[in-house]
Structure formats: C-alpha cells, structure tokens
Amino acid sequence: MEQNDVAGIDTYKKEPLSPELLRNIHAYWRAANYLSVGQLYLRDNPLLKEPLKLEHIKNMLLGHWGTTPGQNFIYTHLNRVIKEHDLDMIYISGPGHGGPAVVAGTYLESTYSEVYPMITQDEEGLKRLFTQFSYPGGISSHASPQTPGSIHEGGELGYSISHAFGAVFDNPELVVACVVGDGEAETAPLATAWHSNKFLNPVTDGTVLPILHLNGYKISNPTILARISHEELDQLFRGYGWTPIYVEGSEPEAMHQAMAAALDEAIAQIKKIKYEAHDLHEGTRPRWPMIILKSPKGWTGPKQVDGKQVEGTFRSHQIPLSVSASAPEDHLIQLENWMKSYKPEELFDEDGRLKPELAELAPKGERRMGANPHANGGILMRDLRLPQFRDYAVDVAVHGVDGEGDVHVTGRFLRDVIKFNADSRNFRIFGPDETISNRLEAVFEVTNRQWNTLIQDNDEFLAPTGRVMEMLSEHQCEGWLEGYLLTGRHGVFNCYEAFIHIIDSMFNQHAKWLKMTLEIPWRRKIASLNILLTSTVWRQDHNGFTHQDPGFIDHVINKKSEIVRVYLAPDANCLLSIMDHCLRSRHYVNVIIAGKHPAPQWLSMDEAVEHCTRGIGIWGWASNDQDCEPDLVMACSGDVPTLETLAAVSILKEHLPDLKIRVVNVVDLLKLERQTEHPHGLNDKDFDSLFTKDKPVIFAFHGYPWLIHRLTYNRTNNSNIHVRGYKEEGTITTAFDMTVLNEMDRFHLVMDAIDRLPQTGSKGTYLKQKLQDKLTEHKQYIDINGEDMPEIRNWKWVN
C-alpha cells in the first residue's frame, strides 16, 4: 500500500471511500458527536428547534468529552467493515469515560431503543437519551453494564486488552475491536497485556484488533506514548509482536480515508493470518495488526474557551465548556454554535429520526456491535458437562486418615472436567505459573498450557492449543478469565492465597458488574467467577512472611451479598463437593480456600456432601455433648484450624474428661452472618442452637480473627466468641510453629478454653502449665532439629 510520511507517521494515500460513502460516513460521525454533546449538556430542546436557553441545560454537567469524538470516529468506521466483510465483532471501550460514544453508537444502530423501548427513535427519545446521562436514576459516564454491547465498563483503567483476549479464546470467528486510551496504556496491567498475542491460536481462537487512541492527554498531563518519537513508538509495538498501522491527523475528509484504508489493511492481514494458519497449516506465530490512531483530544469541540486552547489539550478531558447561570454569558452561545456545527438538520428528520441513508450504514441484526450476543454472554452459555465428583472421593474409613493434599485430589476432577468438555471447548483453567505448584498437575494428563511462541526440547506441557492459561501476571489471568466468562464460557482461576490481592480491584469491578447486571432485565446470567486459593498462609514453610496473607476474604465480603460466596474446605471430599457446586453456579464470585499439602481427611463423601450442603454443622463424631448442653463450643473454619481444633479437643478429652465439648465446623463462611444480611446466613435461632446463647466459643479461623467478630457482632453470644487466627506473625519456620506464633495452635486453644472455664479448677491449672511447658519444648526442638516434634508430626485423631 502506498505510504508517505507526515510528521514521522505513516498515512495511507489510498482512498477507499467513494464520494457518497465518504459524505455519509462523515455525516454519521457528526450524528454520533451531536448525540454525545447532547448527553453531556441537554435535558430539553434535543434538536435545537428553538434558540438554546439555560432552562434546556442540565443543572449539573457531568461527563467526559475528550475521548468521545475519537471513539465515535472508530465506531463509525468499524460499522463499515462489519457490513463489508460480514464480521462477527464486538467493541471494547478501554478509555475510562467513553460512555457517550458507545451509547451514541448503539442508539444510532437502534440497539439501544430495542433494549430500552422508552428511548425511542424520535425527538422524545432523544430528550430521554440526553437527560438520563450522568443524571440521578440514569446511566453513568462509562460504558457501563446498562450499555448494550459492553462487556467492559472502563471505569477502572488497564484491563481492556485482557478482557478482549479472554473474549476471543475459543471463539474463532469473533473479532474484538479494543480501543486503548493512551492514559490507560500507562497502567501496569495494560502494558503487560500486549503480550497476550503470544497465547492466541489463530485457528481455534478469534482475533483482537487493538486500536491505540493517542489523543495526547490524561486529566491534566500529557501521555507518554503520545510524546515519544514515531521510531520509538513503532519499535515498542513491533517489539511486542504487533504490526502497527498508523492514522494521524485532524482534517475529517483525509482522516476518514486514512482510517478506512487502515481498517481494510488490518482486516486483510487478519484474513491472511487465519488462512495461512488454517488452510496452509503455517505454524509460526503471526504478527497481528493493530491500529495507532492519533487525533486531537476533544476533536471537533470548542477550539478555545475564555482565551485558552481547549481542543487538542487536557482542557477538553471532561466538560470543556461550562454553561450555567454563573458562567460567562457567551458560553451558552458557544455551546449552541458547537452543536449546530454538526448540522443536525442534515442528520435527523423533523421527528428526530436518523435519516434513512445514514441509518443504512449500520450493520443489521446481531451483526450490530450493540446487539452481538457475545456481549451478553449468558445468551450463548451452555452448561458444563461435569463428571460425578463422588467418583474422586477419598476413602475415609476412619476420621483423620492421611491424605495426599486436598487440591491434588480435586486436580483429577478438573482433569476430567476438561476431558468431558473437550468438544465444546468452553472451559479453561487460568493461573500465574502455578498450576503444578498448586497441585493441579493431573490436568496435564489431558491438556497443555496454550503457548504460541518458541518451544524448546526440555519444555513441558506447552502447545499451540491447551485448556490451561498461564502467565506470570495475576492481572492477565484474571482479565482473561473475566472476558471468557462474560462471553458465555466457564473457568477457574487458581492462585497463591497471598498474591490474589494483586487483583483486589479487578475483583471489585467484576463483582460490581455482576451486581448491576442482576438489575438489568435483558442481561443474562453468566457462569460464576471461581477463584481457588491455595498455598495458604499456614503452609509457607520455605517462603515465609512475604507469602502469608489470608486477607482476601475480608475484602470479598464487602461486596453485595447476592454476589459473593466464600468456602473453606476442611478436607478433600469437602473440596470436591464445593468445586462441583461452584462450577454449576451462576453469577457469583466463589472464593474457595483449600490446602495443597498432605493433611488428615475427616469426612466420608456422604458426610462431606451433607456437611457442605448445610455449610455449617456440628461434627458429632468429634463431640461428646449429645445428651446435654455443652460446656464449651470448639469452632473451626479452614483445613489447618480444623486440624488444630481437633487436636485441642483430643487433649481436653484426655485430661478433662468431664467436659462436654461441641465441635462446629464452618465451610460456608457467610453462614455466620444473619439471614437478613446474606442469603446463606443463619437465623438467630439456628445460630444459637449451634453456638449456644451463653457458653464459651473458641473459634480457630483460617484468616484474620476480627473478621469472625465482624460477621457475628450482632449475635446473642457474641461476647463469648473468642477467635484465634492469623495476626501477622511468622516467617521461615515449621508448619506447626506458624500456628504457635499466631497462637492458633492446639496448646493455645486448650489454654484459652481453660481460661474460659473456671469449673476446670485445679485440673485445668495443671494442664495449662503442662501445655506452656510443651510450647517451650516445641521451640527448643525446632531450633535444634529444624522440624516439628514427632508427637505433632505423627498425631492422629482417635475415634
């Protein structure tokens, strides 16, 4: 293709648009810009049929103009190539506040009116469209869940490319046009996400077409990528493995021709790559095309306001022109002139309908980006075919038999989930280089890690196709999975417990998306986001303090109760039951916490299913209060807390046999909340029946102890609930010493019980002293031997 160089940027001379098509595309873009400005400013007089007055202006002007005209430009041109090539395409708006553009685009193609019948294709509909934007009870300034065609809100920057790639995995016909803002491009997740092209299989996966929109500024600062040389910019993206196609300028006619040529070139490259991979079986990793669009920030908006340049500067980022009773009088005139510059009388008929020759430019039916079913993934979602989880059960002939590691057992179940869904290709496992470390290695019996770059002879489980996605970036794994789920598929994200915090904010945004979509009738439910956390705080013998943090649970339960679930598996059979349940669930975030190290197994499969179905319950086989009120409740949640609690119970039974003890185990953490606060919560009567109204409760908890107090603060017996958990102690040490340092070990649990039970008298006093001596002995032993005492390592539950 012929090129020339303008200010260091390649601009295509080819003019693919006929004069008539050029005229109509420019008019369509003007219409989208007009609708966008109307959303920012107007609550009446939507077609400017009378002179603009203050009473037509919203009292509060909220929103963002700067990115909007560029995105309107992109959306308009994407419509052309969708129609011309019959593309199956969705649109992701990465720049944070591009809502006006996506709303305008979906309104012009009529999708918006179809999902919101009150927003009609006429003057009254335009008025409602404008008024609702950034207005109480209306819609936000982002491409929010209310916006048809959106799977990515863009409120928090950095995840657009990750979501785009997640959407195209196992979607070979899908093209995701992903607009990346140059401010967004400065975030760490986005900078890393460019490497996603090394994981894409051109035969079995779809295509991501990134469009890096360089408009030069963030809120008040220039952007890095807009200020480096063309040579450096080009080298950067070629180094990432992309083939950049450049479009730059501000003169509309030339820009329309350049953008049309760039998109034609990009689609031609994509088709060539797909053909070579599929028909010619070309095995080298392709260099996918991307477009780098340079246009002024606030393009076509006010050039100057109050003597200061606005278009092409940071001043156009939000509301470029204040219009109110206290603003300068000429601002209202400037706004009117600005809106009239788009010539609305040429775009809409007298009734406010887009003129037919312009409406014809939009794709039809599900080819419209706002109506594409991939952007409402629940429409396309199919249930997983799941093996019978009971077939993977650990044989628990007696309570406390040795186990090989709970996650290790579940790995075999997930292996067969992959196998059972091989034909439908709608299940993947995501994780940051930890699938084997997290003891899920069984999955590699039936699949590989998907990897589309150099493979050497000594590599293991790497192939161009695979059901496991690993990249040493929690951000990318989470973003890929979210995109995969949002387009109608299923998956699991496994991660070290301490480092799941890296995606705290991503979890926030996804949980908010789920919450909002529950309230939108036309949005369909999607598969749950399943997060499996292992390598937990209590088993960091060689990693130490840096790998110890169970606080993700605290973070999760802040979200709406309709959305979040937290499960702590005490053993492998419980984990199997939990995983089966979570893979069948819809529209939740399920956080599953389980151990990967060899540990005792407590429940048979039948017992595990019953216990997990309840979510909380008395372990009668470990208790001795069946015929009376207990003196003490020993509660636990998590695998190590369960082990230490049962060891403590065995000490109490041996030395204080007259004590009546009840053992309560919690699998579903949110059972502790009131039923009025969480749908899984216990009512007060059921809670009191488990924990009593007045007896001491010693609670060993996997995480930070104050979380249990928070969940139970309004219960009758709250003042008698004494929680032991992680309190930021411990480094390189033994497994048992970790519990000792945090005073959650069996000895501290027993001593705490004695302190709460004055009736133990002298026997309790002597036992407490003996256990204090045991703690001294323990410390001396590990300092000399580097491992726990034999009585700890070899302890068994005696039924």
Side-chain angles (χ1 to χ4, degrees):
M1 184 173 287
E2 216 178 344
Q3 300 175 345
N4 71 341
D5 187 84
V6 178
I9 301 295
D10 299 324
T11 304
Y12 293 99
K13 282 185 175 178
K14 184 177 178 182
E15 296 184 352
L17 304 178
S18 68
E20 181 183 5
L21 184 54
L22 172 62
R23 184 168 55 253
N24 285 341
I25 282 178
H26 183 57
Y28 198 97
W29 179 46
R30 283 159 37 211
N33 287 335
Y34 181 84
L35 296 184
S36 299
V37 180
Q39 290 176 74
L40 295 175
Y41 284 95
L42 298 189
R43 60 176 177 174
D44 203 352
N45 193 18
L47 292 172
L48 302 183
K49 288 183 175 179
E50 59 178 291
L52 200 58
K53 303 174 185 176
L54 281 178
E55 63 203 53
H56 302 145
I57 308 299
K58 296 177 184 178
N59 291 320
M60 293 183 64
L61 300 179
L62 302 168
H64 295 74
W65 168 245
T67 181
T68 295
Q71 290 203 61
N72 285 331
F73 182 79
I74 293 166
Y75 202 101
T76 298
H77 279 270
L78 290 174
N79 280 341
R80 180 188 71 86
V81 293
I82 290 170
K83 285 195 70 175
E84 189 168 315
H85 300 279
D86 191 29
L87 299 179
D88 188 6
M89 178 181 281
I90 64 172
Y91 180 90
I92 285 181
S93 172
H97 301 88
V102 188
V103 170
T106 54
Y107 179 81
L108 290 173
E109 70 187 21
S110 299
T111 309
Y112 207 92
S113 298
E114 289 173 12
V115 297
Y116 300 111
M118 291 295 290
I119 309 295
T120 46
Q121 295 279 310
D122 55 22
E123 184 174 1
E124 185 59 31
L126 284 175
K127 179 180 175 180
R128 293 192 181 107
L129 183 79
F130 292 171
T131 302
Q132 70 171 1
F133 181 80
S134 285
Y135 206 79
I139 62 173
S140 72
S141 63
H142 310 112
S144 64
Q146 294 100 323
T147 307
S150 174
I151 65 166
H152 173 89
E153 177 158 341
E156 181 178 314
L157 301 179
Y159 314 126
S160 58
I161 291 284
S162 305
H163 285 158
F165 273 89
V168 301
F169 290 141
D170 297 320
N171 264 333
E173 302 304 318
L174 184 65
V175 181
V176 178
C178 182
V179 182
V180 178
D182 46 358
E184 178 191 16
E186 296 178 8
T187 65
L190 197 289
T192 305
W194 295 112
H195 288 298
S196 297
N197 55 10
K198 283 80 172 177
F199 298 85
L200 199 70
N201 186 305
V203 175
T204 58
D205 299 326
T207 306
V208 174
L209 176 61
I211 303 172
L212 176 61
H213 185 204
L214 299 181
N215 63 26
Y217 293 90
K218 305 184 285 281
I219 294 175
S220 60
N221 277 299
T223 58
I224 294 170
L225 294 185
R227 293 294 179 93
I228 62 178
S229 69
H230 171 61
E231 179 185 25
E232 189 176 352
L233 184 69
D234 192 68
Q235 289 176 345
L236 175 67
F237 285 100
R238 291 188 186 276
Y240 274 131
W242 297 90
T243 299
I245 304 170
Y246 294 90
V247 178
E248 179 185 8
S250 60
E251 197 283 314
E253 182 172 325
M255 286 292 281
H256 285 305
Q257 294 286 13
M259 188 64 175
L263 280 170
D264 285 347
E265 174 67 14
I267 299 303
Q269 288 186 26
I270 289 167
K271 288 185 174 183
K272 183 172 184 288
I273 289 168
K274 288 277 193 178
Y275 169 74
E276 290 176 348
H278 192 276
D279 292 354
L280 301 183
H281 306 290
E282 174 63 53
T284 58
R285 176 170 60 87
R287 285 182 169 270
W288 295 93
M290 65 175 291
I291 292 173
I292 298 180
L293 169 65
K294 280 197 168 186
S295 65
K297 194 175 182 79
W299 194 12
T300 74
K303 305 291 185 187
Q304 289 191 339
V305 176
D306 299 332
K308 294 182 178 180
Q309 183 180 342
V310 173
E311 184 189 54
T313 76
F314 64 88
R315 296 184 184 92
S316 66
H317 181 75
Q318 294 179 331
I319 299 295
L321 185 66
S322 62
V323 180
S324 67
S326 59
E329 291 182 7
D330 67 329
H331 283 200
L332 182 63
I333 298 171
Q334 279 187 270
L335 173 60
E336 185 171 27
N337 291 337
W338 174 16
M339 296 193 72
K340 285 186 173 180
S341 73
Y342 298 121
K343 301 179 181 179
E345 68 281 0
E346 296 179 2
L347 311 174
F348 304 95
D349 66 19
E350 185 66 22
D351 295 324
R353 293 180 179 84
L354 186 67
K355 292 196 172 178
E357 64 272 21
L358 303 184
E360 186 59 30
L361 295 177
K364 306 302 179 187
E366 291 185 350
R367 284 299 191 244
R368 294 172 296 173
M369 289 187 285
N372 192 304
H374 289 98
N376 189 5
I379 294 174
L380 302 175
M381 186 179 62
R382 291 170 290 175
D383 291 343
L384 283 175
R385 292 183 61 228
L386 294 177
Q388 173 49 255
F389 70 93
R390 290 173 177 267
D391 293 345
Y392 306 84
V394 173
D395 182 15
V396 181
V398 293
H399 301 294
V401 299
D402 291 338
E404 59 184 317
D406 301 347
V407 179
H408 186 82
V409 174
T410 292
R412 294 191 284 269
F413 173 68
L414 293 176
R415 172 199 64 198
D416 290 347
V417 174
I418 291 172
K419 187 162 61 176
F420 277 42
N421 295 278
D423 293 338
S424 56
R425 298 180 60 82
N426 66 344
F427 177 79
R428 292 198 185 212
I429 295 174
F430 299 78
D433 190 34
E434 294 163 2
T435 307
I436 290 178
S437 175
N438 287 338
R439 303 296 192 267
L440 295 173
E441 68 276 9
V443 301
F444 293 119
E445 296 172 21
V446 297
T447 191
N448 290 294
R449 302 179 182 98
Q450 185 157 312
W451 175 266
N452 200 16
T453 190
L454 180 65
I455 299 175
Q456 296 182 339
D457 291 342
N458 60 348
D459 291 331
E460 289 187 328
F461 311 126
L462 297 181
T465 59
R467 300 285 89 201
V468 175
M469 305 298 298
E470 287 191 345
M471 183 178 180
L472 194 49
S473 167
E474 286 82 358
H475 286 123
Q476 300 322 310
C477 296
E478 171 71 13
W480 286 344
L481 176 54
E482 288 178 1
Y484 200 66
L485 299 174
L486 288 161
T487 47
R489 279 74 64 72
H490 307 256
V492 172
F493 178 30
N494 71 101
C495 185
Y496 284 8
E497 180 184 50
F499 304 127
I500 194 65
H501 279 296
I502 292 169
I503 60 97
D504 275 2
S505 197
M506 297 184 75
F507 152 76
N508 272 346
Q509 298 303 317
H510 189 74
K512 289 174 183 290
W513 182 279
L514 294 178
K515 188 263 184 187
M516 290 298 297
T517 52
L518 277 180
E519 302 168 8
I520 301 171
W522 55 269
R523 285 279 185 186
R524 302 288 183 83
K525 288 185 177 181
I526 61 173
S528 297
L529 170 59
N530 298 308
I531 300 175
L532 172 62
L533 301 183
T534 188
S535 294
T536 64
V537 58
W538 302 107
R539 290 292 184 263
Q540 292 300 331
D541 308 352
H542 67 285
N543 285 316
F545 195 46
T546 58
H547 285 53
Q548 297 163 6
D549 191 327
F552 189 65
I553 311 171
D554 304 59
H555 179 60
V556 166
I557 67 167
N558 290 327
K559 297 298 112 183
K560 292 294 291 185
S561 62
E562 300 96 324
I563 300 302
V564 294
R565 307 288 186 265
V566 178
Y567 302 102
L568 295 105
D571 67 2
N573 287 338
C574 286
L575 180 58
L576 286 167
S577 178
I578 291 166
M579 186 62 70
D580 178 80
H581 168 77
C582 291
L583 290 178
R584 295 178 188 276
S585 69
R586 298 287 180 268
H587 227 72
Y588 298 139
V589 177
N590 297 311
V591 178
I592 308 162
I593 300 164
K596 69 180 186 182
H597 293 82
Q601 302 299 298
W602 307 111
L603 302 181
S604 70
M605 181 52 79
D606 286 342
E607 291 172 327
V609 170
E610 291 174 1
H611 183 51
C612 292
T613 302
R614 288 192 304 266
I616 186 173
I618 299 170
W619 282 4
W621 53 268
S623 307
N624 64 357
D625 69 326
Q626 288 84 352
D627 58 354
C628 61
E629 275 289 295
D631 299 307
L632 171 70
V633 177
M634 297 291 284
C636 47
S637 187
D639 61 337
V640 172
T642 298
L643 168 62
E644 292 306 308
T645 293
L646 291 173
V649 169
S650 69
I651 294 170
L652 287 167
K653 285 182 175 179
E654 178 183 356
H655 294 277
L656 301 170
D658 293 335
L659 273 184
K660 296 299 182 181
I661 303 169
R662 175 179 297 173
V663 177
V664 175
N665 183 267
V666 183
V667 172
D668 180 348
L669 188 64
L670 291 162
K671 285 285 183 180
L672 298 176
E673 280 205 303
R674 273 187 164 160
Q675 199 173 38
T676 54
E677 299 299 319
H678 193 280
H680 285 196
L682 294 176
N683 60 42
D684 285 338
K685 180 180 178 181
D686 289 342
F687 187 92
D688 292 344
S689 71
L690 290 174
F691 293 100
T692 78
K693 291 185 176 182
D694 56 3
K695 299 298 190 293
V697 178
I698 309 299
F699 201 128
F701 178 51
H702 175 86
Y704 292 102
W706 40 87
L707 179 57
I708 300 300
H709 290 297
R710 174 182 167 187
L711 293 173
T712 61
Y713 81 97
N714 54 4
R715 298 294 192 175
T716 304
N717 200 27
N718 175 256
S719 61
N720 276 323
I721 297 176
H722 310 284
V723 187
R724 291 180 176 268
Y726 181 65
K727 55 180 189 178
E728 294 286 324
E729 295 293 343
T731 179
I732 307 299
T733 189
T734 69
F736 181 67
D737 194 50
M738 264 300 296
T739 64
V740 172
L741 292 171
N742 289 277
E743 299 182 339
M744 197 200 68
D745 61 283
R746 60 199 68 182
F747 303 141
H748 278 97
L749 293 175
V750 171
M751 290 189 292
D752 200 0
I754 292 169
D755 288 343
R756 313 291 174 187
L757 295 167
Q759 65 266 41
T760 61
S762 181
K763 285 185 179 181
T765 301
Y766 278 93
L767 176 56
K768 184 175 179 180
Q769 181 172 303
K770 181 178 180 178
L771 297 181
Q772 289 169 337
D773 293 342
K774 273 291 179 189
L775 288 169
T776 301
E777 180 186 351
H778 153 76
K779 181 66 168 65
Q780 293 171 343
Y781 187 92
I782 65 169
D783 287 349
I784 295 169
N785 297 282
E787 64 177 352
D788 287 319
M789 297 185 296
E791 67 184 83
I792 300 296
R793 287 185 281 119
N794 301 325
W795 178 84
K796 303 286 185 186
W797 172 261
V798 178
N799 289 275

